Every structure is written in structure tokens, then in C-alpha cells.
Amino acid sequence: MSASGSSESPELKTGNFSENSRCTESKYTLYLFSNNKHATSSDTTLSDKESRSSAKSDSKASNNEEPSVCLSLFEGNLSAEQETVVRCYLLKTLSARQDLSFENDGKYAELQFSSEESGKMFGCYYHRLSKHSSAETEPNEENGFPKLHTFFICLIGPANGVMESFCPELGKFCYILIPLLDPEGLKNKDNVQLKLKSWYFHCVEYVRRCIENFGEDLVTLLHCSLWGNVEVTSEDEQAKWDTERFVETCCVMPATIENSKDTVKDNANLSFIVTIKDGKIEVDKLLVSVFSDNSPYCSKWLDKLKSCPSTDHIGQHNILEGFRLKTVQDLNTLKRLLQKAQTDHYSLYRAYQFLQASGYEDILLYHVKKEANMAEEHEVLEIISCLQEFLKNKHSTSDSKAK
């Protein structure tokens, strides 16, 4: 079976799911979607008289017509009443759309169970996935293309902000399930069930596992995510998944990986290959020379992560988001100071003070210099060179005094 618009995705290990079955939040449903709106332009060219006469007969038969939008339940662990609430919400949402040929995407909503559930609110993340059938299972249609099947995965959890905070992770999790989805509902059934039951474990608890498994090594991961793109390799698929989600949450750079050997030569767009081996984080030796010491900035944010309660998943996620946002804010502040420094010497001094206090001046200067090079801002480049020289002399003086 070939996935529509997807590449080969890593399998998540679920052997330790029994250890995490305590997570009662991992509710889900899986539907096969069908759209029976087959009206064509020729169907809408009736005269007014014909339309009025056909409307009378249509109204009599409307109760026997097949719904225009249909959801067939494949898998799920909700009660019948809970599943009805989810299905009705989806059908109402989909029926209201004029165009049902939308792209694969996910959305979050808060729903409410009936009075028997004491009116309890719950979070529902629903994601549309599409997949072409293979020639082996279904012959090509008249148009010569395999049939496109559409699925909806609904992940159900508490309405306490967790699901809303982790929507990117939920989307990534749903997307990797595409190769396992089967329109007949027979292949990979157990595997699909096991993975869907563990969505909370994979999508929400990964930050806690990274803190517990890597400890102080996370400083290196934070540091790499500031410099450039990060590619994670590991034979342990669970560790790879957790580390990739960690990096995506805190990384300042877009997630595009380029050849690291080439990027080292021109220093234009650094890419780091991070290897997870025996519970340790190792960085490609070609790039170790880029930074010799871990920045105080990263150490400060790691301390915040470690001091956050292990059960506060939203708090841990917010700290990683804060790390990324603070970096972006610092870059914007430095760029404003550099622009002012072209005509104001005091702004140059303020930029120097700002860099000294930041704890990661080499990283900030690297990014603003790269941007100035691309924009060919020669005056800004001269100011950056001046600042680098000042900071280099300052560090040399401090090192000599320390000796």
C-alpha cells in the first residue's frame, strides 16, 4: 500500500505499553470516511418547473436516502454513548463543509458527554488522513488511478489544555500511522490498536522521558537546536521519536537537514547529526569544533526543565516553547540594536552589553551575521565584526586574569 503524500515513517516501539496502560486518557476512535455527494453540473441544470416537481418527490424519499457524509467505525475504545457524541460532532462539522476535498490536517475541539457523564467536557483531536489503495488489493479505477481512501483518527483526552498544547505532536503521531491503515480493517489491526492506545504516552510524556533518560546531556541538544538544524539517528526508535519531538519543540531553525560536510565548509547553514547511543547524546565530530563550551543560556533553561514536576507535562512543554521564543526575542532585539548602531554609537554599546549578558553571544552573532550576509547589509556586517572583536578581547583579558 502506498501512502498519499507520505514517506516511509519510523515505527514506534510499543513493547512497553503495558507499563503505561495506567494512562486512562488514551481514548480513541478510527473511522473510514465516505462522501456520497455525487451531484454534477448536469444535475443542477433542471428548469424551475422541473425543480419544483422533483422537490416534492425528493422530500418524500429523503428519509430513505443515504447520508451524504458517512463515517464507518473501524476501531475505538469509547463507550457507545461517548462514540455517538464524537461521531455526531464530526458528521455535523463535515456536513457543513461545501468542499470535502480538503488536505490532510488535524483540529482540536472540546466536546461534552451527556448528563450521565455529569456533563463532563473532554478534548477531541481529529485528524484526516488519506491513502491510495495498491493494485494488489484493489484494481485501478476507470480513471486509471488507485482508489483514494480517507480516514479520521479521533484522539480523546482531558479538556485540561494538554491536548491543545501538544497538537503538533498529535499530528505527527497520526501521520506516521498512514502505512498501517487498511480500508478493509483486517491488516495490522493489532498494531494499529496498540499504537492508538498509546498516543498519550508517545505525544505528551516524551519531554519527561528525555529529562529522565538524558539528564545533563540535554544541554548539548539545546545547544545544537540554537545553532542550526538537527538530525537525530538512533537504533532505539522510541528514543529517536522522543528526541525528535524535543528538538522540534525548541529548535529555532526550520526543520531542514542539509549535508553537514558542505555546511561546515562555508558555515552558511549548520546542520547537526545527533546520535543516541546507550542512553547518551553524541554530536557529529565534524561539528564539535563549532562550539567548545556549552552556553550558560542552555544550562539555565535545562535547570528550569529539571525543576519542573515530572507530572506537569504542560509546564515542561511550555518551558521548551519559552526557550525557543526567548531566543527569537533576543535575536529581534539584537537586530534592532544593530540597525540603530549604524547612526547611534550608544546603541553599539548597548548591543555589546546585551551580548555580554545573554550567555550565548556567539550563537546570536552567528544568526544575525548570516541574515546580514544574505541581505548584503555591509554596514551591519562591519558592526558585527566590531562587536566580535570587542568580545574576543574581553574573553582574552578574562582568561589571562584567571590564569
Side-chain angles (χ1 to χ4, degrees):
M1 304 281 280
S2 60
S4 173
S6 68
S7 58
E8 191 66 25
S9 302
E11 294 289 333
L12 296 181
K13 289 187 176 181
T14 53
N16 57 354
F17 174 69
S18 59
E19 177 186 344
N20 300 283
S21 58
R22 69 187 187 282
C23 182
T24 58
E25 294 90 343
S26 294
K27 300 291 186 179
Y28 70 93
T29 57
L30 171 62
Y31 299 102
L32 179 64
F33 168 83
S34 59
N35 173 21
N36 300 313
K37 291 181 178 180
H38 294 306
T40 63
S41 57
S42 60
D43 297 327
T44 60
T45 57
L46 296 173
S47 65
D48 291 342
K49 186 175 181 180
E50 290 173 324
S51 298
R52 284 193 295 271
S53 61
S54 63
K56 294 180 181 179
S57 59
D58 288 346
S59 61
K60 295 178 182 179
S62 60
N63 292 332
N64 297 322
E65 287 181 355
E66 187 179 358
S68 60
V69 175
C70 182
L71 293 172
S72 303
L73 180 66
F74 267 26
E75 299 291 343
N77 57 0
L78 295 177
S79 67
E81 184 177 1
Q82 292 170 344
E83 189 274 326
T84 300
V85 173
V86 174
R87 183 197 293 261
C88 288
Y89 171 78
L90 273 182
L91 287 174
K92 181 179 179 181
T93 302
L94 295 173
S95 297
R97 295 185 63 120
Q98 295 296 321
D99 176 21
L100 290 175
S101 61
F102 44 88
E103 295 296 327
N104 291 355
D105 61 356
K107 297 185 183 300
Y108 173 78
E110 289 190 2
L111 308 180
Q112 189 172 20
F113 289 138
S114 69
S115 56
E116 293 184 13
E117 296 286 341
S118 303
K120 183 179 178 182
M121 299 293 294
F122 65 95
C124 175
Y125 176 86
Y126 56 100
H127 199 110
R128 177 190 185 274
L129 300 170
S130 58
K131 178 178 183 177
H132 283 103
S133 59
S134 64
E136 291 80 10
T137 57
E138 285 188 56
N140 286 358
E141 294 182 321
E142 293 180 0
N143 59 10
F145 295 101
K147 184 177 181 180
L148 183 66
H149 299 281
T150 300
F151 299 84
F152 273 92
I153 293 178
C154 298
L155 305 178
I156 311 300
N160 59 2
V162 170
M163 299 188 73
E164 201 166 8
S165 297
F166 289 84
C167 276
E169 289 85 349
L170 296 174
K172 182 74 70 173
F173 177 79
C174 290
Y175 189 74
I176 67 168
L177 294 177
I178 290 179
L180 297 177
L181 298 179
D182 168 34
E184 299 299 325
L186 300 175
K187 295 180 180 178
N188 306 311
K189 182 176 180 179
D190 293 339
N191 214 359
V192 170
Q193 285 181 341
L194 196 58
K195 284 179 169 58
L196 286 172
K197 285 178 183 177
S198 64
W199 71 258
Y200 193 94
F201 171 81
H202 290 301
C203 300
V204 177
E205 298 182 339
Y206 71 90
V207 182
R208 174 185 59 80
R209 284 195 298 275
C210 284
I211 296 171
E212 293 176 352
N213 295 337
F214 303 130
E216 294 297 327
D217 278 0
L218 284 180
V219 171
T220 301
L221 203 58
L222 290 171
H223 208 191
C224 289
S225 69
L226 289 179
W227 276 106
N229 300 313
V230 179
E231 179 182 9
V232 180
T233 62
S234 178
E235 294 181 359
D236 185 339
E237 292 299 337
Q238 184 63 60
K240 185 176 187 291
W241 165 269
D242 291 345
T243 309
E244 285 177 340
R245 303 292 78 72
F246 187 98
V247 167
E248 285 177 2
T249 304
C250 66
C251 194
V252 178
M253 302 300 296
T256 55
I257 304 301
E258 304 199 15
N259 189 296
S260 59
K261 294 181 181 180
D262 294 338
T263 54
V264 168
K265 291 177 183 178
D266 56 17
N267 206 35
N269 190 23
L270 291 177
S271 296
F272 295 84
I273 300 176
V274 172
T275 303
I276 310 299
K277 188 175 182 180
D278 299 327
K280 295 291 182 180
I281 295 175
E282 301 175 359
V283 184
D284 193 317
K285 293 180 181 179
L286 287 170
L287 294 164
V288 170
S289 58
V290 172
F291 55 93
S292 55
D293 298 316
N294 289 320
S295 70
Y297 180 76
C298 295
S299 298
K300 179 183 72 175
W301 283 94
L302 178 57
D303 289 340
K304 289 184 180 182
L305 272 177
K306 294 194 304 185
S307 63
C308 186
S310 61
T311 55
D312 186 3
H313 304 303
I314 295 180
Q316 292 170 343
H317 193 269
N318 287 344
I319 290 172
L320 283 183
E321 286 278 2
F323 171 82
R324 180 178 59 82
L325 292 175
K326 180 61 168 63
T327 305
V328 173
Q329 289 173 357
D330 285 350
L331 284 169
N332 290 334
T333 298
L334 180 57
K335 283 187 282 189
R336 284 195 298 270
L337 289 172
L338 292 175
Q339 289 295 331
K340 290 182 179 180
Q342 296 181 62
T343 56
D344 179 12
H345 290 296
Y346 182 64
S347 293
L348 176 61
Y349 178 67
R350 287 177 59 197
Y352 173 72
Q353 285 187 314
F354 175 77
L355 287 166
Q356 270 195 308
S358 69
Y360 64 132
E361 65 272 11
D362 51 347
I363 296 171
L364 293 175
L365 285 171
Y366 162 72
H367 286 297
V368 294
K369 185 175 182 179
K370 182 177 69 174
E371 188 172 318
N373 268 317
M374 293 175 62
E376 297 184 351
E377 297 175 336
H378 301 296
E379 289 187 33
V380 174
L381 288 171
E382 289 179 7
I383 294 171
I384 292 172
S385 298
C386 181
L387 286 169
Q388 288 177 321
E389 190 65 29
F390 284 156
L391 290 166
K392 182 179 178 181
N393 292 336
K394 177 69 176 179
H395 290 319
S396 299
T397 304
S398 300
D399 292 341
S400 61
K401 286 182 179 179
K403 292 179 181 179

